[in-house]
Amino acid sequence: MKNFVEELRWRGMLAQIMPGTEEFLQKGMVTAYLGTDPTADSLHIGHLCGIMMLRHLQRCGHKPIILVGGATGMIGDPSGKSQERNLLDAETLYHNQECIKRQVAKFLDFDSKEKNAAEMVNNYDWMKDFTFLDFVRLVGKHITVNYMMAKESVQQRLNGTARDGLSFTEFTYQLLQGYDFLHLYREKNCQLQLGGNDQWGNMTTGTELIRRTLGAEAEAYALTCPLITKADGKKFGKTESGNVWLDRNRTTPYAFYQFWLNVSDDDAERYIKIFTSLEKDVIDALIEEHRQDPGRRTLQRRLAEEVTVMVHSKEDLDMAIEASNILFGKATKESLLRLDEQTLLDVFEGVPHFEISKAELGQPAVELFTSDNCKAFASKGEMRKLVQGGGVSLNKEKLEAFDQTITADDLIDGKYLLLQRGKKNYFLITVK
């Protein structure tokens, strides 16, 4: 068996670890779990470090369990939050769970015949019939208020750094998460909890609850990964348009690929260790190659390829590369027509946009593309000269004549025109 802790250590994925954890993992197969919050119907790349921990765990011969917090998601965890979250209903949580399971199945082997096949559980299954009296009798009596109050996440909310204080609901969250660990310890022989470093307080409450409930000889451990940031210290995974999601309907494979392709050199060197399963010697060689010629962006390209294939597919990667070539390289009208609408909009997000009505179609190009609504050229004379010199394209095909009639047949997806002036100047025209 590979040393799981050492695997995390060289990848930069180890933050805190309870004493004895590494030695315990080397004795044989260990079952470990990581919790994820089902407040959305997709994970985003902020969740990826934790999911990759489970992936490495399974590849090292251990058994991963992913816990969807159907019950705890109805409450909200104060860790790292400045205010209480909105609570979700059971139907929404179940829908979100099913969506998350499909995504996680791309990282973990749930169908293996080996003993370390991955499992997914939902804490709502064992919490839904757990009465308040059961809770205070079986859980509450083992953990003191003093112990709970000492947690950093609780202190931050109580000492005025949060606007709304801390509700009793959230205060009990660490007990609920601790009970998850106790339940999985009893039912699944799960002896290790994994999570982000902001979960350390909740996780150690779980190990404490296990020992106080089952005796000091009960072996339970915790291990966290760091919270991933960018080289400039800013939050990882956020763009101007928000989170980078794993769901293609929220973030297209093209936009997903571009996110990784555009990370800085320093970040690429860290991220390729964290977010891929490439072996150390391969990564070391890629880093050395990149340092020899940073302009080729060897690390970013390999990182983007690996993560896009893992989250989406090889076909989606090929499409993302082809879409990139439309803007930055040679492409044909056929490749343009293969794009779905959202990818088309993502590809040309940064180019000037115009909007015209369908009634304006049927005009000569020189009239349409110099009009007040669509001023892609300074004058009709400029456009004539550029067209005659072969410097104007419509939908990736050379415009043969400046007075060519533009009709509905020229529209992409029935609503777009892509005009290109010279090599690098694009205009996306929406026809409504």
Side-chain angles (χ1 to χ4, degrees):
M1 292 176 68
K2 287 177 70 174
N3 185 322
F4 172 59
V5 175
E6 183 54 39
E7 184 76 10
L8 296 186
R9 191 176 281 124
W10 78 258
R11 289 181 181 275
M13 297 175 70
L14 187 63
Q16 297 189 76
I17 181 170
M18 288 186 67
T21 304
E22 186 168 6
E23 295 77 8
F24 181 70
L25 280 159
Q26 290 179 274
K27 291 178 182 177
M29 188 188 82
V30 172
T31 299
Y33 91 95
L34 177 137
T36 190
D37 179 15
T39 49
D41 61 2
S42 173
L43 301 176
H44 54 73
I45 60 174
H47 296 106
L48 267 187
C49 188
I51 301 301
M52 290 303 294
M53 286 175 81
L54 287 179
R55 182 176 173 87
H56 292 308
L57 179 92
Q58 189 172 38
R59 288 162 68 95
C60 287
H62 303 291
K63 181 179 177 67
I65 295 176
I66 182 154
L67 180 147
V68 175
T72 40
M74 290 181 168
I75 295 168
D77 175 13
S79 302
K81 309 292 191 303
S82 60
Q83 59 187 20
E84 190 163 347
R85 289 181 311 205
N86 294 328
L87 311 186
L88 302 178
D89 59 70
E91 184 179 350
T92 302
L93 285 165
Y94 178 75
H95 166 75
N96 292 353
Q97 175 196 330
E98 292 304 299
C99 294
I100 289 169
K101 185 173 184 178
R102 286 194 294 273
Q103 291 179 343
V104 176
K106 295 184 177 182
F107 295 83
L108 304 177
D109 187 355
F110 287 90
D111 301 319
S112 171
K113 303 301 180 188
E114 303 297 325
K115 291 182 179 179
N116 70 330
E119 287 187 46
M120 176 174 271
V121 296
N122 186 336
N123 61 10
Y124 184 71
D125 292 337
W126 58 84
M127 293 302 303
K128 66 180 185 293
D129 298 320
F130 205 38
T131 68
F132 182 72
L133 290 177
D134 289 334
F135 182 73
V136 294
R137 184 168 59 88
L138 299 174
V139 180
K141 73 173 185 178
H142 291 291
I143 302 292
T144 67
V145 170
N146 308 57
Y147 180 88
M148 296 171 69
M149 291 285 287
K151 298 294 183 182
E152 185 180 356
S153 59
V154 172
Q155 286 297 313
Q156 287 176 344
R157 293 290 289 271
L158 290 176
N159 291 335
T161 55
R163 189 180 64 209
D164 301 324
L166 180 71
S167 71
F168 174 76
T169 304
E170 289 184 295
F171 183 56
T172 58
Y173 185 95
Q174 59 179 289
L175 292 183
L176 288 170
Q177 186 169 328
Y179 183 73
D180 286 342
F181 199 175
L182 174 61
H183 176 86
L184 292 175
Y185 187 99
R186 283 170 163 162
E187 300 298 320
K188 304 280 187 183
N189 192 33
C190 179
Q191 294 175 275
L192 172 64
Q193 184 178 174
L194 309 175
N197 208 31
D198 59 337
Q199 292 294 308
W200 182 252
N202 294 336
M203 292 162 70
T204 52
T205 297
T207 60
E208 190 68 14
L209 179 62
I210 288 170
R211 291 190 181 95
R212 292 188 185 187
T213 304
L214 303 178
E217 69 280 359
E219 292 187 287
Y221 300 91
L223 182 160
T224 64
C225 63
L227 300 180
I228 309 301
T229 58
K230 294 192 285 189
D232 60 9
K234 292 181 181 176
K235 192 168 183 179
F236 164 75
K238 289 277 190 180
T239 65
E240 289 183 7
S241 55
N243 285 320
V244 179
W245 299 91
L246 306 195
D247 184 346
R248 65 189 304 121
N249 295 316
R250 288 172 174 257
T251 301
T252 63
Y254 166 80
F256 186 85
Y257 172 78
Q258 285 292 323
F259 170 83
W260 298 101
L261 195 62
N262 289 311
V263 300
S264 70
D265 288 352
D266 288 342
D267 285 336
E269 201 166 305
R270 287 190 304 130
Y271 295 168
I272 201 163
K273 297 173 184 175
I274 296 169
F275 299 111
T276 78
S277 298
L278 296 173
E279 298 295 341
K280 189 176 188 302
D281 58 341
V282 176
I283 289 176
D284 288 345
L286 286 166
I287 290 172
E288 183 56 34
E289 183 183 343
H290 182 89
R291 288 176 179 174
Q292 295 295 326
D293 186 1
R296 292 181 59 201
R297 300 180 70 78
T298 301
L299 278 178
Q300 286 92 335
R301 290 182 188 282
R302 187 61 182 273
L303 170 66
E305 289 170 6
E306 292 287 329
V307 184
T308 303
V309 169
M310 188 162 51
V311 170
H312 295 291
S313 69
K314 178 65 166 65
E315 291 71 28
D316 286 319
L317 170 65
D318 293 340
M319 185 278 297
I321 293 172
E322 185 177 39
S324 301
N325 289 336
I326 290 172
L327 191 56
F328 305 115
K330 293 181 179 178
T332 63
K333 183 177 182 180
E334 287 66 36
S335 56
L336 191 63
L337 294 174
R338 278 195 291 270
L339 301 183
D340 61 76
E341 182 178 6
Q342 189 54 55
T343 301
L344 177 77
L345 294 174
D346 284 346
V347 169
F348 296 103
E349 182 182 17
V351 309
H353 280 55
F354 296 116
E355 191 173 296
I356 64 174
S357 68
K358 282 192 175 179
E360 293 175 75
L361 294 176
Q363 296 185 67
V366 70
E367 298 290 341
L368 184 61
F369 299 137
T370 59
S371 68
D372 290 340
N373 292 336
C374 185
K375 206 161 188 64
F377 300 88
S379 67
K380 294 177 183 178
E382 181 199 42
M383 184 179 171
R384 283 194 189 96
K385 195 175 294 183
L386 282 169
V387 171
Q388 288 165 354
V392 179
S393 295
L394 180 65
N395 300 337
K396 282 293 176 181
E397 292 184 335
K398 290 279 186 226
L399 197 63
E400 297 298 334
F402 64 85
D403 58 353
Q404 178 181 319
T405 303
I406 307 302
T407 71
D409 293 336
D410 295 310
L411 299 180
I412 302 167
D413 283 339
K415 63 190 294 189
Y416 300 106
L417 295 168
L418 179 67
L419 186 66
Q420 185 176 355
R421 190 183 71 201
K423 288 186 176 180
K424 296 182 179 179
N425 296 307
Y426 286 94
F427 304 89
L428 186 65
I429 301 147
T430 304
V431 181
K432 290 191 171 181

